[in-house]
Amino acid sequence: MSRKNVQHGSSDHLAPEDEEQLALVAWYYYHDGLTQGDIGDMLGISRIKVSRLLDRGRQSGIIQVNINSPYAGCFRQQRALIERFGLRDARVVPAFDKGDAGTRVAQAAAQLLMQELEPGELLAIGWGETVSKTLQQMTPLLTQGQLELVSLTGGVATYLNGSGFGKMSNIHLIPTPLRVSSSDFARALREEPFVRDIIDMALTSRVALVGVGSLSDEATLVRSDYCNRSELNLFRRQGAAGDILGFFYDAEGNVLPLDIHEHVVSVPLSSLASIDTVIGAAAGVEKADAILGAMRGRHINTLVTDQPTAEAILERSDP
């Protein structure tokens, strides 16, 4: 990685002799790697003056810093996403030809969570493939009891049990499917004291991790038999852009009045607002509209995605 690069430009605020000294200081610092103290000794000026010259050079545009790395574009996209959508944070992983994007986004989400969470803290988790992959990356924290999990929806036990986490005392799961056959049955399950306690516990979490579902025929809800393609086509015609926790919303993030929502055993999507940090982890250009809706509706305030998806989001939301 080329960490720094110096370019010369013009400034109306500097006398020629001052600009010459600034350029010399910048060359020694960025090109030759000398310390500010070394440069001050060479030029007979104080280290503080060297520091001020460098600051003035960056502010005036005489000094421009370029990062020659695949991550540079990601950093620009992260900043753009944060500023455009008022996010708390964003992480964008570079596009690579090899490797599964979902797995790499899950790795980034796990790293962010390990930075965000304190030992013994409670993490609320939603339903989805990327959430599952993220938890796989955090296996040591879970098996050593350094982290507690609580589910925001039913159905989470399906993939956690297969990972060997299901019977651990630090994991609290809603013991139902995500979707059940009738609205009456779903209502009864949500009112069961044990289920109610898990939902209440989830809403005490400071941090939540959720997946963002698309309306594609290969959506996880379809592959897991919670929805069929015909239903998704109907939801799409009714304006759905994506789903979180089994609740479908439109391009602006408004939850749609769909009958399926009465069949879901889940924390209501509107209740996520009570959780301080809600991280949405998702990859794939086909999910761009779903992620856009999630951010516009304030259902998530932190995003972890990959570079192609971030590019698509920013292009489709160009102000």
Side-chain angles (χ1 to χ4, degrees):
M1 176 187 296
S2 174
R3 185 171 60 93
K4 299 167 184 172
N5 180 39
V6 181
Q7 300 181 10
H8 293 272
S10 62
S11 173
D12 296 333
H13 305 293
L14 291 172
E17 60 272 17
D18 292 332
E19 184 171 338
E20 181 182 8
Q21 187 177 52
L22 190 160
L24 186 59
V25 166
W27 186 266
Y28 285 144
Y29 184 69
Y30 289 104
H31 185 269
D32 294 336
L34 300 182
T35 68
Q36 294 180 14
D38 291 339
I39 296 168
D41 292 341
M42 288 178 61
L43 301 180
I45 58 178
S46 69
R47 186 193 63 77
I48 292 176
K49 184 171 182 180
V50 171
S51 177
R52 288 175 178 168
L53 283 168
L54 291 170
D55 286 341
R56 192 171 184 185
R58 287 189 289 267
Q59 293 169 4
S60 66
I62 290 176
I63 298 172
Q64 298 179 10
V65 178
N66 295 324
I67 303 173
N68 300 319
S69 163
Y71 286 91
C74 296
F75 297 149
R76 287 193 294 270
Q77 291 168 346
Q78 287 174 188
R79 183 173 180 179
L81 288 166
I82 291 169
E83 292 178 352
R84 191 171 299 181
F85 298 102
L87 300 178
R88 291 174 57 95
D89 200 358
R91 301 294 168 89
V92 178
V93 300
F96 288 116
D97 294 335
K98 297 181 180 179
D100 174 61
T103 298
R104 294 175 53 252
V105 165
Q107 291 169 341
Q111 291 171 358
L112 175 60
L113 284 167
M114 287 187 280
Q115 295 167 10
E116 181 77 21
L117 293 164
E118 299 293 335
E121 195 165 3
L122 183 66
L123 170 65
I125 56 171
W127 187 90
E129 187 175 353
T130 305
V131 173
S132 175
K133 289 182 177 180
T134 300
L135 296 177
Q136 290 294 319
Q137 301 291 327
M138 301 173 70
T139 299
L141 293 180
L142 293 167
T143 55
Q144 294 169 19
Q146 298 181 42
L147 182 67
E148 285 199 67
L149 291 184
V150 59
S151 64
L152 292 159
T153 74
V156 173
T158 302
Y159 58 75
L160 282 190
N161 286 338
S163 305
F165 297 149
K167 296 183 179 179
M168 293 171 58
S169 61
N170 58 326
I171 297 180
H172 315 280
L173 305 178
I174 296 175
T176 71
L178 172 63
R179 178 186 183 184
V180 296
S181 58
S182 74
S183 58
D184 289 340
F185 187 30
R187 188 180 306 110
L189 287 173
R190 290 193 296 267
E191 292 173 357
E192 278 291 318
F194 184 76
V195 173
R196 184 74 259 166
D197 288 346
I198 298 294
I199 289 175
D200 290 343
M201 181 189 298
L203 293 176
T204 68
S205 302
R206 185 180 63 86
V207 181
L209 173 68
V210 299
V212 181
S214 72
L215 274 290
S216 75
D217 288 346
E218 298 304 316
T220 306
L221 284 174
V222 173
R223 289 188 281 110
S224 301
D225 294 325
Y226 281 119
C227 284
N228 58 51
R229 290 181 174 86
S230 296
E231 286 180 304
L232 283 191
N233 286 332
L234 175 60
F235 300 158
R236 195 182 299 116
R237 288 196 297 272
Q238 293 174 301
D243 87 280
I244 293 176
L245 306 182
F247 292 96
F248 290 84
Y249 50 83
D250 64 18
E252 297 302 318
N254 302 306
V255 178
L256 297 170
L258 303 177
D259 179 68
I260 188 176
H261 298 162
E262 300 300 319
H263 297 243
V264 171
V265 183
S266 172
V267 169
L269 191 52
S270 59
S271 297
L272 283 183
S274 67
I275 297 177
D276 185 54
T277 300
V278 182
I279 301 170
V285 173
E286 73 279 359
K287 290 193 173 186
D289 290 334
I291 297 169
L292 261 173
M295 292 189 294
R296 287 169 173 162
R298 307 293 182 188
H299 304 309
I300 62 174
N301 56 28
T302 299
L303 175 65
V304 185
T305 191
D306 66 342
Q307 196 168 12
T309 309
E311 289 174 358
I313 291 168
L314 292 169
E315 287 173 1
R316 297 178 195 189
S317 63
D318 192 17

